[in-house]
Amino acid sequence: MAGLLGIPNLDQACALVVHPVPDHAAALMRQLKAIGLRVIHAWPDLPASAITADFVFYDTDMGYDAQFPWEPGQAPMPMIALVGSEAPGRIEWAARMGADALLLKPVGSSGAFSALLMAHHSFELRQSLNAQIKQLRHRVSARQTVVQAVALLSAHGKSQDAAYDQLRQMAMAWRINVEDAALRIVENAKDEGNLRDCN
């Protein structure tokens, strides 16, 4: 099952537990240590090393945005919300912070491992989707550049289809994608005022 979720070896991973009362987080920290994680407790200020933690468990009852050195929802690691109060505002805050998994308080003698697995899986999925969205946005923004490049190439008496075909051939010859080839052509035309180096 671990292979299906793509879970890395958790041995010696670092878990940051952001909770106001260390005694109340003791059961969680025992579980994490038993799994093999290094555990750091912090409240309210986070150590500089927080940015390098592999997982963050954070209290939703008393936590706040400025507590973290990243923007809400932009944590560079999986975030696991420690939920005590189910007040809508607190649950909304936990979600806005980017909760990849939830663990109900008081934490007993189980639940941490499942939360780690789900958080890791959710985080990796979100990272993958964000990368795909970024790539798609880049391609959409590059469409205008492709149109400009085709217009420049067709200015020499070619049809738009022939100009686009030439653009594709140039991209293959340069071993880059069509969008980057189009950008090269447009920038060259701006710099040189012609298509001398593109033919």
Side-chain angles (χ1 to χ4, degrees), residues 54-192:
D54 297 299
F55 296 91
V56 172
F57 289 79
Y58 65 104
D59 184 69
T60 61
D61 296 329
M62 298 184 64
Y64 52 95
D65 289 1
Q67 197 166 23
F68 299 96
W70 49 77
E71 293 296 316
Q74 300 300 315
M77 75 287 288
M79 299 279 283
I80 301 164
L82 298 170
V83 178
S85 167
E86 291 186 317
R90 290 282 83 193
I91 299 298
E92 182 181 332
W93 180 78
R96 192 167 50 80
M97 288 308 294
D100 295 299
L102 302 176
L103 191 56
L104 296 179
K105 298 188 308 183
V107 177
S109 60
S110 63
F113 187 67
S114 296
L116 288 166
L117 297 183
M118 287 305 299
H120 183 272
H121 179 69
S122 296
F123 178 78
E124 292 295 318
L125 180 61
R126 186 163 30 95
Q127 293 292 96
S128 175
L129 291 173
N130 285 342
Q132 290 176 23
I133 289 169
K134 184 177 178 181
Q135 181 182 30
L136 289 173
R137 284 182 176 157
H138 170 71
R139 292 191 73 159
V140 167
S141 69
R143 290 188 96 171
Q144 184 62 36
T145 306
V146 171
V147 170
Q148 289 175 337
V150 168
L152 286 166
L153 292 170
S154 64
H156 296 283
K158 295 181 181 177
S159 69
Q160 287 189 347
D161 288 342
Y164 184 74
D165 188 51
Q166 182 184 2
L167 174 62
R168 285 189 315 115
Q169 290 174 11
M170 293 165 75
M172 285 189 289
W174 292 337
R175 296 183 182 191
I176 58 177
N177 62 40
V178 170
E179 292 83 4
D180 290 340
L183 182 61
R184 187 181 288 185
I185 291 167
V186 170
E187 287 178 348
N188 184 58
K190 286 178 184 174
D191 292 343
E192 303 293 333

Side-chain angles (χ1 to χ4, degrees), residues 19-72:
H19 194 282
V21 186
D23 291 346
H24 292 178
L28 170 62
M29 292 191 285
R30 276 194 303 272
Q31 286 185 61
L32 295 173
K33 288 176 183 175
I35 294 167
L37 280 79
R38 292 181 299 111
V39 180
I40 300 170
H41 175 264
W43 187 269
D45 299 322
L46 305 186
S49 63
I51 199 78
T52 64
D54 297 299
F55 296 91
V56 172
F57 289 79
Y58 65 104
D59 184 69
T60 61
D61 296 329
M62 298 184 64
Y64 52 95
D65 289 1
Q67 197 166 23
F68 299 96
W70 49 77
E71 293 296 316

